Each structure stands twice: as structure tokens, then as C-alpha cells.
């Protein structure tokens, strides 16, 4: 039976893919987004759109009044840049938890019983090369990671006191895009490695800055676990079903890390163009390794990533960037064949 879902942050990169995944299986979807970083054009027409900010409890109340019964709420609307959070830590530490607190409160008032929250691997800021499981100590590497941890604790208390069931999904590095090319990654300014490396290879921007080559990793550059955004969507859907019986916390990645240099090499090979890059100082808040152990989510929910290679992730991201050189701002161009 189709369900009613509210996707907070549904106009963003992961949110738009999630909305599409819910619609594809027949659910009714409402998107709540302030369009600060999201795009109206990224919201599928079959979803109902409410422009609003989590800072405004009245609009949030109005959004939750749209339906008598909600099957669940997804929260993907945090400020989410590690570097920015280290330049303005108080902003991250007040805005993200403040917004989440208002959302949780509103959910409780409107009888929502299930909430899936996009948390982050940045909770584990000082991890080593071993894949990180859910028992790893929480040591946020940045104010961004700390803000996610605070929200996880809020959800703990929301369950303990009010019985709200939640899933905290600690994403590792979301990347790739819809293989059918309907949605993609379009941040302004773009700060993420894969889209920046692709644009550098396509000569759409100057050389990529490689943030630090003196980390204690095999080639000196940071190692990350890149997970396809469509696989994050399936993790959300499975987690929402799973929390019918109680709250969970899952680390979501592939369990395989790639260094920044390996990403640059992959982008060069797939675009057929060298990625121009220059060495830059370390970016504050970046840990050397972040690689997930996805064993728990796989065992508990049956989650299996469809896209298990960096090549697939980069190929999908490249196809979207070729077809949408200006992101969502202008009409798509003809897609060029991808090597
Ligand atoms: N990175 C880089 N140059 C850039 C952007 C990112 O060297 O212009 C590195 C960054 O230091 C990190 C990795 O690429 O080690 C992934 O960064 P990204 O911002 O894509 O994701 P994050 O790990 O912050 O979620």
C-alpha cells in the first residue's frame, strides 16, 4: 500500500534521488525545502512542494498538517560542508541541532512515529584504515560531525521519552547520480571531489586543489568510501521499514576506500582527459581515513549496493555533468557518449 512521506531537504542532491525512489514505488511524497542549497527543478513534478525553513515552526506545522497520517519523515536538510563548519563552527552547532529539534518536536506533535535521519561518517573523525563499524568511538572530526552527533543524541532521547523510532544513517561519501540522468549533483559553490575533478578534466574550471598529501595513508592523500547516491536511497527505504520495531544506527558505505589520487586517476581514465591539479594545504576537519563497515545494515535490512565500483559512480556523475553543464539552472544539453 502506498505511504505518505515528508522529505525534508528533498530538493537537494540525496533528497531529490530519494523523492524519486519513493515516487517510483508508488508512495505519496511531500518535499519541504528552503531552496538555500537545493533546486526547485530537482523536485519531481509528482511530489508536492512546500518551500519553508526549519527555523520557522509555523510553516513546519502547516506542512505536517497536510496529512492526517504520515508513514514517516526523512530529514536530509542539514548544513553539510566540513570545511565551512570549521570556518563557522557556532553556525553549524546552533543551526543543525536547532532545526532538528524543531522538526522532531513537530513530528511528535503531529503523531509521526518514524524518522530517518541523514547522519555522517564525520562522527568518526579520527578513525584509522580499518572499516568503521557502529561500535567505533564517536570523535567528531569537525563542527559538522559534532552537530550530527548532537542530533543523534536528540533522537535517542526522543525515543526514550516519547517513543519516536528513528534511523541514523551515517553516510560515507555520497557520489554518482541517477543512471537515467534525471537528477544529479549541483552545489553552488561545488566543494566535492568527484564533480570538481570532472569539471577540471573537462576544462570547465582551473586546476583541482588537492588538500594535503602528507596524511598517514599509502599515497599520502585522504581515503574515502564513495557510495552511489542510488544505493543511499535504497538504504533510506530499507531503514524506514526496519524502524517499525525500534531505532537503529547504521554506517552506510561500500567498505572499500579510495584515495584522492585514486579518484583523480579514475576521473582521468573515464573522461579520457588528465585532471589538472595542484597541491594545497590540508583542509581543516578532514580525517585521513573514512571507510565504512556496512555489515550491520546488510545483515539487518538486506541492503546490497547496486553500484560497487568507483568507475560506475564517476561514469554516472560524468554523464550528468556533460548533459547539465550549468546544473539545474538551464535546460539540459545533449548528452555526449561516456567512455
Ligand atoms: N578534496 C580535495 N580537493 C577538493 C575537494 C575535496 O582534495 O577540492 C578531498 C578532501 O580533502 C577529502 C576528499 O577529497 O579528503 C573528499 O572530500 P569531499 O569534500 O568530496 O567530501 P567529504 O569527505 O568532505 O564529505
Amino acid at each position: 500500500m502506498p505511504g505518505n512521506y515528508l522529505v525534508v531537504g528533498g530538493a537537494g542532491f540525496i533528497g531529490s534521488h530519494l523523492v524519486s525512489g519513493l515516487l517510483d514505488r508508488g508512495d505519496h511524497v511531500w518535499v519541504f525545502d528552503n531552496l538555500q542549497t537545493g533546486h526547485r527543478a530537482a523536485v519531481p513534478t509528482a511530489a508536492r512542494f512546500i518551500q519553508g525553513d526549519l527555523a520557522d515552526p509555523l510553516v513546519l506545522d502547516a506542512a505536517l498538517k497536510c496529512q492526517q497520517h504520515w508513514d514517516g519523515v526523512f530529514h536530509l536538510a542539514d548544513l553539510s560542508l566540513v570545511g565551512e563548519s570549521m570556518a563557522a563552527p557556532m553556525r553549524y552547532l546552533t543551526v543543525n541541532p536547532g532545526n532538528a529539534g524543531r522538526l522532531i518536536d513537530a513530528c511528535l506533535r503531529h503523531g509521526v512515529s518514524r524518522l530517518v535521519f541523514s547522519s555522517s561518517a564525520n562522527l568518526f573523525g579520527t578513525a584509522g584504515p580499518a572499516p568503521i563499524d557502529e561500535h567505533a568511538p564517536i570523535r567528531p572530526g569537525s563542527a559538522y560531525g559534532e552537530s550530527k552527533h548532537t542530533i543523534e543524541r536528540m533522537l535517542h532521547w526522543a525515543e526514550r521519552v516519547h517513543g519516536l523510532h528513528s534511523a541514523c544513517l551515517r553516510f560515507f561519501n555520497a557520489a554518482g547520480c541517477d543512471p537515467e540522468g534525471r537528477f544529479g549533483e549541483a552545489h553552488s559553490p561545488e566543494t566535492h571531489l568527484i564533480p570538481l575533478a570532472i569539471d577540471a578534466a573537462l576544462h570547465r574550471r582551473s586546476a583541482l586543489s588537492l588538500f594535503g598529501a602528507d596524511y598517514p595513508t599509502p599515497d599520502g592523500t585522504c581515503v574515502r568510501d564513495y557510495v552511489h547516491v542510488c544505493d543511499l536511497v535504497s538504504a533510506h527505504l530499507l531503514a524506514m521499514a526496519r524502524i517499525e520495531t525500534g531505532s537503529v544506527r547504521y554506517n552506510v558505505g561500500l567498505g572499500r576506500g579510495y584515495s584522492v589520487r585514486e579518484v583523480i586517476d579514475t576521473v582521468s581514465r573515464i573522461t579520457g582527459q588528465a585532471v589538472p591539479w595542484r597541491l594545497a594545504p590540508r583542509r581543516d576537519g578532514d580525517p585521513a581515513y573514512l571507510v565504512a563497515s556496512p555489515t550491520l545494515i546488510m545483515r539487518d535490512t538486506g541492503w546490497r549496493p547496486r553500484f560497487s565500483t568507483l568507475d560506475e559512480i564517476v561514469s554516472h556523475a560524468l554523464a550528468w555533468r556533460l548533459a547539465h553543464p550549468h546544473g539545474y539552472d538551464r535546460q539540459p544539453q545533449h548528452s555526449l557518449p561516456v567512455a
Side-chain angles (χ1 to χ4, degrees), residues 294-312:
T295 309
L296 185 62
I297 185 170
M298 292 173 99
R299 195 188 66 206
D300 259 23
T301 70
W303 180 71
R304 296 287 178 275
R306 255 171 81 201
F307 303 107
S308 55
T309 67
L310 188 59
D311 281 25
E312 289 169 298

Side-chain angles (χ1 to χ4, degrees), residues 143-164:
Y144 163 64
E146 184 73 42
S147 73
K148 293 287 194 182
H149 179 48
T150 307
I151 297 169
E152 290 202 0
R153 296 302 301 160
M154 287 177 164
L155 288 168
H156 163 81
W157 289 106
E159 172 166 38
R160 181 150 160 200
V161 177
H162 301 290
L164 177 71

Side-chain angles (χ1 to χ4, degrees), residues 173 191-193 196 209-211 222 224 226 260 283 286:
N173 285 61
T191 63
H192 294 100
L193 179 62
L196 286 176
S209 296
L210 191 162
F211 297 141
C222 289
R224 295 286 180 274
Y226 295 90
V260 176
R283 186 174 67 177
D286 271 341

Side-chain angles (χ1 to χ4, degrees), residues 63-135:
L64 281 157
K65 275 188 192 145
C66 286
Q67 275 306 305
Q68 287 276 315
H69 170 77
W70 293 100
D71 291 278
V73 169
F74 295 91
H75 177 29
L76 305 97
D78 282 328
L79 303 173
S80 63
L81 300 178
V82 170
E84 185 181 73
S85 82
M86 296 305 279
M90 292 314 131
R91 178 165 176 245
Y92 272 67
L93 292 168
T94 52
V95 171
N96 284 349
N99 283 345
R102 279 182 287 275
L103 176 61
I104 294 166
D105 223 32
C107 285
L108 294 171
R109 274 185 281 110
H110 290 274
V112 174
S113 60
R114 292 188 294 167
L115 187 147
V116 172
F117 168 56
S118 299
S119 187
S120 167
N122 203 267
L123 296 180
F124 308 107
T126 51
I132 303 165
D133 68 18
E134 289 74 6
H135 300 295

